[in-house]
Amino acid sequence: MSALEIGIASFPALMVLIFLRVPIGLAMFLVGLVGLVLVTDGTQVAFARLKNETYTTFSSYSLTIVPMFLLMGHFATLGGMSNALFKAAEGWLGHRRGGVAMASIGACAGFGAICGSSLATAATMGRVALPELRQYGYAGGFSTATLAAGGTLGILIPPSVVLVIYAILTEQNIAKLFLAAFIPGIMAAVGYVIAISIYVRLYPESAGTRPAVPYSERFAALLQVWPVLLVFGLVVGGIYLGWFTPTEGAAVGAFGTGVIAFFNGGLTISTLADSFIVTARSTAMIFFIVLGAGFYNGFLALTQVPQELSNYVVSQGLSPLMVLALILCFYLVFGCLMDSLSMILLTIPIFFPVISAMDFNLISLPAMQAEAAMDVLKNGVPEGMGAEMLASIQEAIASGAELTREQMKELGIRVTQGMANRIEAEHVAIWFGILVLIVVEVGLITPPVGMNLFIINAMDRATPMIETYKAVMFFVASDIIRVIVLVAFPAITLFLLPG
């Protein structure tokens, strides 16, 4: 067999191991190791790569952000922030039809802003909100579906552990990815609230009522969420303002939530030790998956599978949007069978070169030149520029034509095709990353193997899983609509990025 054939054959071999319930990290590691032995006709290269890959993976400075964000989320739980968020949202929304469920979504969104894990968000908010939903007569399937969907906001609203891994894999700016995820994250929360509103109108018996809370109590509950706003503002705002790097921001956030938890009485010597142990276990699991994926993807690169796939797709003449749609559909299907981190680590090295080879026309050279020219002209006509030159520049801007070298020289600007291509490549990578994150997030709540569904249903054994499956499809529909909107209008995702 050729190296390419061995690389292709590795996919079914990997799927067999996964379906045999071999841990995904170990499965990728074993397939990569055996594949390297077969491709190189010996163990020397495979064992040398084992040594180098292990060191380069675990010595990566960027990966230190992962345990910091996980620890921050755990400290936030100990500090009672999850409960404060839910009480504040419930005070303002609880009396509406489906209001307690809407409050759960709002609390999940708030907790997601200080916890980069979907599973942790779902589990934490499930413990807080499920008793309230039961108390006010919400149907079991509707309650569990709501909290499972709300948990997905943990990996979409920054900070996000999965986005950090994507940034490392594709060599993108973590802060820009966080910024790009903000509007889609808000859209997700709003979409879930709309889905709840539709559901309770179609099934009025699924949601009970809750008496309205006096405004004095609402504002008092709102004041209790100041630690969340403080930590989120300090971490995310500090990263965007350049006060510290994302890794330093994660450390600051972990320290800040730890201090708050200490003063709230939730952080003691005992719980501190437990926090470190839980964080270490979660980090070890993630790092082992990263190692296995690195080993497997290194083997794939040696077999030229990603490059050949990219060349094949480009040669088929499919439109970029068609290729993107096929990739997103793949994620929707396989996201039902694998966890989000494993999907990202396994597929991004294969699909990212394909997407990078496509021309989505997100950036227009004339538009960039026009923007730069307008920035100059708004401060007045440059000294020495003649009326004829000014008129020609204004005509080019109005018609959408490229500026000539002479016109750019007169304006004192330099905007080239190479600059446009670099920005285009970055914007495509960020846009694709957010889209992948969303469809992977959908997999967390899509039957039959949505991880969030199992986590929440384990907290409510009395609710049949089939009832959760039925109710969650309203949230899945909301997610699919959101994906379509973000594919059709990339500017929504890229709007907040600096020019």
Side-chain angles (χ1 to χ4, degrees):
M1 293 176 68
S2 68
L4 181 62
E5 290 171 336
I6 293 173
I8 294 172
S10 70
F11 289 106
L14 180 61
M15 290 299 107
V16 168
L17 289 177
I18 291 172
F19 284 115
L20 289 175
R21 303 186 69 83
V22 175
I24 181 68
L26 180 59
M28 289 190 288
F29 173 78
L30 291 175
V31 172
L33 181 65
V34 173
L36 277 174
V37 171
L38 294 175
V39 169
T40 59
D41 293 324
T43 60
Q44 185 175 356
V45 173
F47 288 163
R49 182 165 181 80
L50 175 60
K51 176 183 66 176
N52 296 334
E53 189 70 38
T54 303
Y55 174 77
T56 55
T57 297
F58 297 136
S59 65
S60 172
Y61 175 73
S62 298
L63 276 177
T64 57
I65 195 173
V66 174
M68 290 296 99
F69 278 143
L70 293 175
L71 186 62
M72 183 169 72
H74 201 75
F75 283 163
T77 303
L78 293 175
M81 296 184 193
S82 54
N83 189 63
L85 283 165
F86 180 72
K87 290 299 181 183
E90 187 183 34
W92 289 92
L93 298 172
H95 61 283
R96 301 177 182 276
R97 183 182 294 180
V100 179
M102 294 178 186
S104 302
I105 296 297
C108 286
F111 194 74
I114 51 174
C115 176
S117 167
S118 174
L119 302 181
T121 300
T124 301
M125 296 314 304
R127 287 191 293 268
V128 172
L130 263 179
E132 293 284 318
L133 290 164
R134 291 196 200 101
Q135 180 181 346
Y136 293 109
Y138 281 70
F142 178 42
S143 301
T144 51
T146 298
L147 291 169
T152 63
L153 298 173
I155 64 170
L156 184 54
I157 294 179
S160 166
V161 170
V162 176
L163 267 185
V164 170
I165 300 298
Y166 175 85
I168 294 170
L169 287 175
T170 59
E171 298 181 351
Q172 298 302 311
N173 184 287
I174 295 175
K176 288 184 178 180
L177 275 164
F178 282 179
L179 199 60
F182 190 74
I183 292 180
I186 298 299
M187 289 175 62
V190 172
Y192 288 163
V193 168
I194 293 173
I196 290 171
S197 180
I198 294 172
Y199 189 91
V200 296
R201 280 164 175 75
L202 293 176
Y203 306 101
E205 72 285 354
S206 65
T209 57
R210 180 188 186 282
V213 174
Y215 277 95
S216 59
E217 293 185 22
R218 296 186 193 184
F219 283 109
L222 201 59
L223 289 174
Q224 296 302 310
V225 303
W226 69 264
V228 177
L229 299 177
L230 176 64
V231 171
F232 178 76
L234 183 62
V235 174
V236 179
I239 292 172
Y240 296 148
L241 293 173
W243 294 350
F244 31 68
T245 66
T247 304
E248 293 166 348
V252 169
F255 177 77
T257 50
V259 170
I260 292 169
F262 174 77
F263 282 106
N264 285 346
L267 187 62
T268 62
I269 296 297
S270 157
T271 57
L272 178 63
D274 290 340
S275 299
F276 288 153
I277 291 171
V278 170
T279 300
R281 286 175 177 167
S282 300
T283 302
M285 177 193 69
I286 292 173
F287 277 24
F288 187 71
I289 294 174
V290 171
L291 174 64
F295 211 76
Y296 180 63
N297 292 325
F299 152 70
L300 286 182
L302 187 63
T303 64
Q304 297 290 301
V305 168
Q307 295 86 339
E308 291 296 328
L309 177 63
S310 176
N311 294 335
Y312 174 78
V313 171
V314 172
S315 68
Q316 296 306 299
L318 298 174
S319 70
L321 285 179
M322 178 62 72
V323 173
L324 178 62
L326 291 174
I327 290 175
L328 294 180
C329 288
F330 171 88
Y331 277 113
L332 283 173
V333 173
F334 276 81
C336 304
L337 307 173
M338 297 174 64
D339 67 275
S340 56
L341 182 60
S342 302
M343 281 287 291
I344 292 287
L345 287 165
L346 177 62
T347 60
I348 287 301
I350 299 171
F351 289 145
F352 186 70
V354 175
I355 291 297
S356 298
M358 298 286 167
D359 184 9
F360 289 92
N361 292 315
L362 299 184
I363 299 296
S364 164
L365 177 59
M368 285 182 60
Q369 292 175 335
E371 183 178 357
M374 294 299 292
D375 286 341
V376 173
L377 293 176
K378 71 181 181 182
N379 296 320
V381 179
E383 185 178 350
M385 180 182 290
E388 184 177 345
M389 175 60 73
L390 177 62
S392 68
I393 292 173
Q394 291 174 333
E395 181 181 352
I397 293 174
S399 63
E402 289 186 26
L403 298 179
T404 65
R405 288 186 179 181
E406 290 75 16
Q407 289 171 332
M408 286 194 288
K409 185 176 180 181
E410 288 286 336
L411 289 165
I413 62 174
R414 184 176 181 272
V415 181
T416 65
Q417 187 63 55
M419 295 168 61
N421 291 343
R422 285 193 295 273
I423 296 175
E424 165 88 9
E426 181 185 53
H427 282 199
V428 167
I430 291 174
W431 178 50
F432 179 63
I434 300 304
L435 291 174
V436 167
L437 188 68
I438 294 172
V439 291
V440 164
E441 159 205 325
V442 178
L444 291 171
I445 59 172
T446 306
V449 195
M451 293 295 293
N452 279 15
L453 301 179
F454 286 106
I455 285 177
I456 297 299
N457 252 80
M459 300 180 181
D460 188 7
R461 300 285 188 181
T463 299
M465 182 63 84
I466 189 65
E467 296 301 320
T468 304
Y469 286 166
K470 291 177 182 177
V472 84
M473 296 313 296
F474 282 77
F475 298 99
V476 172
S478 170
D479 281 327
I480 292 174
I481 292 171
R482 177 161 43 99
V483 170
I484 293 172
V485 170
L486 293 176
V487 168
F489 304 101
I492 296 175
T493 302
L494 305 173
F495 174 72
L496 293 177
L497 296 185

